[in-house]
Amino acid sequence: MVSDDVRTSDGSVQPPAAFSVTTGRVRGYHRAAVDTFLAAARAAFEGDADDLGAPDVRVASFPLVKNGYVVAEVDAALGRVEDALAARARDRAVRSQGAGAWVEQARDDAQIILDHLARPKRQRFARTGVLTFGYRIDEVDHVGTRIARYLRDGEPLTAEQLRSAAFRMQRGGYREEQVDALLDATVDVILAVR
């Protein structure tokens, strides 16, 4: 039988990496931090515990290091974990409160997002000072328009598209925390109605 274990330079044997490892100058997520977090997520999910939920997965962050896990692979796995935890929360809520209450809550959350995005373009979020960088206004407004079309008209938009949204920076741009909060709320709505 052939083992997939890896022998390190100091002679110790380690199991194979869960994800591809970066090489050269490319940095990746700290492997032990990722492994620890995913082990805790698995334990919480399999143990049906409430100590870790979808929002916790969404805000998880890891140090970037040489020879770390490839960022895109870990982010994709975290998306699947978030989806699973959100589905479990939805199932629990439907069992305890009924499907009608769950749908009504998702509808209320969607309306709050739509009300926010109904503001005129270039005025949808608070802005940083003229000497401080924030998210590029035109890029955020474009994503905001896509979110509004999804919520209002049913145009396709996935949680993964929002998770991977990235904005360039500009002086006097939108405040990052406000934009990120709206994206997170929209992901919650998308996961709630799956």
Side-chain angles (χ1 to χ4, degrees), residues 79-98:
R80 292 188 298 273
V81 171
E82 181 184 358
D83 291 349
L85 290 171
R88 183 181 71 181
R90 179 181 59 239
D91 293 344
R92 284 180 175 171
V94 167
R95 279 195 308 270
S96 67
Q97 302 166 358

Side-chain angles (χ1 to χ4, degrees), residues 127-140:
R127 302 196 30 196
T128 63
V130 293
L131 300 178
T132 309
F133 285 92
Y135 287 150
R136 255 186 85 119
I137 294 167
D138 59 333
E139 294 174 356
V140 172

Side-chain angles (χ1 to χ4, degrees), residues 3-5 11 20 55 61 99 111 137 161 166 172 176 180:
S3 171
D4 290 333
D5 291 345
S20 300
S61 63
Q111 189 59 54
I137 294 167
Q161 288 172 316
E176 296 174 46
D180 291 344

Side-chain angles (χ1 to χ4, degrees), residues 2-8 12-17:
V2 177
S3 171
D4 290 333
D5 291 345
V6 176
R7 187 165 301 277
T8 63
S12 64
V13 176
Q14 293 182 335

Side-chain angles (χ1 to χ4, degrees), residues 3-186:
S3 171
D4 290 333
D5 291 345
V6 176
R7 187 165 301 277
T8 63
S9 60
D10 67 358
S12 64
V13 176
Q14 293 182 335
F19 303 97
S20 300
V21 176
T22 61
T23 58
R25 301 180 92 141
V26 177
R27 295 185 181 270
Y29 288 145
H30 189 278
R31 293 187 291 181
V34 171
D35 292 340
T36 300
F37 182 82
L38 290 177
R42 170 175 263 149
F45 187 79
E46 290 175 352
D48 207 28
D50 288 328
D51 50 342
L52 186 74
D56 300 313
V57 176
R58 190 175 312 128
V59 299
S61 63
F62 309 101
L64 291 172
V65 297
K66 284 186 175 185
N67 300 316
Y69 286 143
V70 173
V71 170
E73 291 180 20
V74 175
D75 286 349
L78 290 173
R80 292 188 298 273
V81 171
E82 181 184 358
D83 291 349
L85 290 171
R88 183 181 71 181
R90 179 181 59 239
D91 293 344
R92 284 180 175 171
V94 167
R95 279 195 308 270
S96 67
Q97 302 166 358
W102 180 260
V103 169
E104 189 60 34
Q105 180 62 50
R107 186 174 298 147
D108 291 345
D109 294 343
Q111 189 59 54
I112 290 168
I113 295 166
L114 277 171
D115 291 346
H116 189 94
L117 293 175
R119 297 173 182 170
K121 287 186 176 183
R122 305 190 63 75
Q123 298 175 24
R124 291 180 173 166
F125 299 93
R127 302 196 30 196
T128 63
V130 293
L131 300 178
T132 309
F133 285 92
Y135 287 150
R136 255 186 85 119
I137 294 167
D138 59 333
E139 294 174 356
V140 172
D141 281 346
H142 174 74
V143 171
T145 299
R146 290 199 59 209
I147 290 169
R149 287 180 183 156
Y150 165 78
L151 295 173
R152 188 183 55 238
D153 307 327
E155 287 191 15
L157 183 67
T158 66
E160 188 53 44
Q161 288 172 316
L162 292 180
R163 289 180 187 131
S164 63
F167 307 105
R168 291 178 289 177
M169 305 298 278
Q170 75 176 71
R171 291 185 193 275
Y174 283 145
R175 292 194 175 275
E176 296 174 46
E177 62 276 2
Q178 289 187 356
V179 175
D180 291 344
L182 185 117
L183 293 177
D184 288 346
T186 306

